[in-house]
Each structure stands twice: as structure tokens, then as C-alpha cells.
Amino acid sequence: MREYLLVFLVSLSVTYLLTVVAREIALRTGAVAAVRDRDVHAVPIPYLGGLAMLGGLVAAYGVARELPFLSTSETFVFRDAGVVLLAGALVCAVGVLDDIFELDALTKLGGQVLAASLLVALGVRFYFFPAPDGNQISISDAQGALLTFVVVIGTMNAVNFVDGLDGLAAGVVGIGAVAFFVYCYRLSDVNNLTLATTGALLSAALAGACAGFLPHNFHPARLFMGDSGSMLIGLVLSASALTLTGQFTGMPTSAGNSLFVTVLPVLLPISLLMVPVVDMVLAIVRRTRAGRSPMSADKQHLHHRLLEIGHSQRRAVVIMWMWAATVAAGAVIVSLTTGSLVWWTLGSMLALTIALTFVLPRVQRPRKTGLGNTGLPENAEVEGRVDDAEDPLLEPMEDPATGR
């Protein structure tokens, strides 16, 4: 566990430091997010945060190869992790080109397919699933490749789609990475297998990269991850999950729900699709009913609605993190343990998240900032920021003596 913690800290530190370099590169190359009608930032923000995150992942990988325990792991652990980072570098490069030159959607999809093809060609794909009877459900090469394409490309686009508020995508993926690390580590320990697995290594490094990027990306953001970052972390998260399918022979032992143990490598990346897919379906229905194109932009996405009902931008992000944590932690807890305490815990998490989502805005609304009812920055009086107005979850209380 100590070596995984070191991997996490190395990834965090390097990513945090490299964001300064990535920001300078973005400014020099013109990779800057212009302000559009549907955006929530009020001034142009540099892209290319993905370069810093890739640097953090590579640094963590290099350090892990030299650690006393992880360096003695099976050869496939670092080989598969290296393949994932190679595919991540490829899709990050495509994202950098998009951040600078604004590639069309078909070209970006081609880059995603190429990165997923690299994973499959080098042996990082789904091979089988453990069955509850102790046997294995084998799948053909074609089926494994197809499922890999669906999960990897779907997760990359889901992360890209959910990246609508400062810190949202990095927080959601970081939460998913932590949850999957706990799953990998605990399941290996229970089954008396080596604790050095590709999934645990990649998820620890990914969680560190997301944590190191967040101080620069949380509202008010100084740097966006851009497509270079969203596609990178989406690929690493999904690939770290699929590497685990060849780790166990037969059904892994667990005190939790056997079905969740079987499907979690697929379920966890797909769980990240829930929010953006629901948002996308609602957007299509909403726009077609209004007689507009399904691809036309508007300000009625889920994060816009959270701002509308009274949340500040920071609080909206924290609440969406809580929804992600409830789903990810719920899947992991159910797969690893059982009993009434599990359901009480999950029920409490869900109740708290619902209360903060719908009740808190009625109890404590952000102070008026001249933004109208939408919470969007187009009418902001102070250029360059959206006033979060003393967010009770994240800001200090006002001092009655000074009024500050």
C-alpha cells in the first residue's frame, strides 16, 4: 500500500508542477477556450491540461518500476501499463491537435478508434469473465475487441461530455479511479494473489494525476484539460478496468455480491456514462420538441440546471462529485461485502446527495451577483470570474464585525 501511495503522490506532484508548463504552451500555441454562449467561463481559458496529466502518469510509471515491491511483479503488469500509456499518449496527441486546430468530430473519433485499436493489437483487451459457478465465460477475439472498443471509446466520450464545469471531469474520474483501486487491491488481498496488478497501478497513478490537476482547474479555473485531457483520463480509466479481466482464474472470492464482482470491470466505466447519457437524451428530446436540431447548443444541460436552481458553480461541481461517489462506492461496496450495514450506508449516501441537490438551494442560495436566474456569466459585472457568493460548503462564513 505504501508503494501505491508513493505512485499516487508522484503523479500528483508532477501533474501539479507541469500544469504551469502546459499553460504556457497553450498560450503560445493559441490553444485557448473562447467564450461561447453555452459556456460558464467568462474569459478565455488555456487548454492542454492533458499534457500535464500525461507527464504525471509517465512519471508515476517510471518510479513504480524502481520500487522494491512493484518492480518484482509479473512482467505483464508493467507491459500492459506501458501499452495503456502509449495509447493514452496517442489519444492525448489527437486532443492537443483538436485543442489547437479544432478538429472535426469524425477526425477525433478516428483518433479514438486508433488508440483503442492499439490496445487491442498489443493484447490489452477483454479476454473472459468469471462465472458464478467457478468457471470462466470465454469470449472470442472478435467479441473481446468489440467490447473493448465500446467501453474505451464510450468512456472517453463520456468524460469529454461531462467536462462542462471547472473541476467536474477531473473529480469524477479521480473518484472512479480511487474506487477501482480499492476494488483491485481488496479483491487481490482476499484471494491471496499478488497485490501488484496493472489495474491498481494505473488507477493509483490516475487518481494522483486528477488530484494534481484539480487545484489549477477548480473554479475559477486557470487551465482546462481540453480534449487532450478528457480523452486521456477516459482511456486510462477504462483500460485499467479491462486489464483486470485476465487477473483471476475462475470466480474470485468475495464476501459481497458475486454478480457485481463479475461485472464491475465493465460496470465502473459505464457508471460514468450515466450522467452524460441522461443529459444527452434529455437534450435531444428537448431540442426536437422545440423544433430545433438535436445538435444545436443550449444552456439547459444538467450542470446548467444545477446553477439555475440556486447552486453556485463550485457547489454544483461538489454535488455532481457526490453523485459519482455514490455510484462508484456503491458498486465497490456491494461487490466486496454484504449485510444490512451496506444498505444503510448506501441509503445514507443517496439520501444526503439528494438532500444537498434539491433541498440546500432552498435553504441557502448564493448571493445575487447580477447573473440573472441562470447563474451563467454572460451578464457578469466583473470580467473574468463568476462570484460564488460565499458558498457554505467551501467558503468561510462572513465576519459580522467587518462585513467581509
Side-chain angles (χ1 to χ4, degrees):
M1 178 63 78
R2 287 178 296 179
E3 292 191 3
Y4 282 124
L5 178 60
L6 180 59
V7 168
F8 171 84
L9 292 175
V10 168
S11 182
L12 184 155
S13 302
V14 173
T15 300
Y16 179 83
L17 295 174
L18 287 181
T19 49
V20 179
V21 179
R23 189 176 190 276
E24 184 64 24
I25 295 174
L27 292 173
R28 289 178 180 272
T29 58
V32 177
V35 180
R36 301 169 297 182
D37 287 343
R38 65 180 183 273
D39 291 329
V40 295
H41 60 280
V43 295
I45 304 294
Y47 281 133
L48 302 188
L51 290 178
M53 303 174 86
L54 178 62
L57 292 171
V58 172
Y61 174 82
V63 169
R65 293 186 68 95
E66 306 301 324
L67 296 177
F69 172 68
L70 289 177
S71 62
T72 61
S73 61
E74 298 289 342
T75 56
F76 68 82
V77 171
F78 284 102
R79 179 195 175 277
D80 289 354
V83 170
V84 173
L85 292 182
L86 181 61
L90 174 60
V91 80
C92 182
V94 174
V96 168
L97 293 176
D98 178 61
D99 292 338
I100 297 175
F101 302 109
E102 296 188 6
L103 303 177
D104 61 88
L106 190 59
T107 302
K108 285 195 294 184
L109 179 60
Q112 295 172 358
V113 171
L114 187 60
S117 299
L118 183 62
L119 291 176
V120 173
L122 296 180
V124 179
R125 63 173 180 83
F126 287 103
Y127 286 95
F128 62 84
F129 294 100
D133 59 3
N135 297 317
Q136 296 174 355
I137 303 174
S138 298
I139 55 179
S140 67
D141 291 345
Q143 291 171 331
L146 179 61
L147 186 56
T148 299
F149 274 92
V150 171
V151 172
V152 172
I153 295 176
T155 306
M156 282 192 283
N157 284 286
V159 175
N160 191 22
F161 197 89
V162 81
D163 188 22
L165 292 177
D166 296 351
L168 180 56
V172 167
V173 173
I175 289 168
V178 170
F180 194 69
F181 171 80
V182 172
Y183 172 79
C184 292
Y185 190 91
R186 180 58 182 164
L187 205 59
S188 298
D189 186 34
V190 169
N191 287 270
N192 295 317
L193 298 172
T194 175
L195 298 178
T197 62
T198 306
L201 173 61
L202 287 174
S203 55
L206 179 60
C210 292
F213 182 68
L214 272 175
H216 299 272
N217 187 237
F218 200 58
H219 184 73
R222 297 186 294 275
L223 183 70
F224 288 162
M225 68 172 64
D227 282 1
S228 60
S230 61
M231 293 194 295
L232 169 66
I233 62 177
L235 181 141
V236 174
L237 178 67
S238 56
S240 64
L242 66 89
T243 58
L244 195 65
T245 62
Q247 178 71 27
F248 299 103
T249 301
M251 184 65 189
T253 303
S254 172
N257 187 291
S258 60
L259 177 62
F260 274 82
V261 175
T262 303
V263 303
L264 191 63
V266 179
L267 179 64
L268 188 60
I270 291 178
S271 68
L272 295 177
L273 296 170
M274 294 177 64
V275 171
V277 166
V278 169
D279 194 9
M280 181 176 64
V281 171
L282 291 175
I284 292 174
V285 173
R286 179 175 65 247
R287 293 164 186 170
T288 52
R289 287 185 62 183
R292 297 187 291 118
S293 167
M295 303 304 295
S296 60
D298 60 26
K299 297 177 182 178
Q300 299 185 49
H301 290 287
L302 292 179
H303 51 270
H304 291 136
R305 292 180 181 273
L306 286 174
L307 298 176
E308 273 188 2
I309 65 176
H311 291 292
S312 67
Q313 187 173 160
R314 289 186 177 186
R315 199 163 67 194
V317 170
V318 171
I319 286 174
M320 295 188 78
W321 285 354
M322 293 183 65
W323 280 106
T326 301
V327 174
V332 171
I333 291 173
V334 170
S335 67
L336 295 179
T337 187
T338 187
S340 59
L341 181 60
V342 171
W343 299 110
W344 277 107
T345 301
L346 296 180
S348 300
M349 292 173 61
L350 182 60
L352 176 62
T353 305
I354 292 175
L356 291 177
T357 302
F358 299 106
V359 177
L360 187 58
R362 299 178 179 275
V363 176
Q364 176 67 54
R365 285 183 174 271
R367 189 174 56 205
K368 294 292 184 180
T369 61
L371 303 182
N373 295 328
T374 64
L376 297 176
E378 61 267 16
N379 297 319
E381 296 177 357
V382 180
E383 185 180 5
R385 64 189 291 267
V386 178
D387 192 348
D388 277 299
E390 302 295 325
D391 190 330
L393 291 181
L394 301 169
E395 304 288 350
M397 296 297 291
E398 182 177 271
D399 187 346
T402 62
R404 295 178 180 269

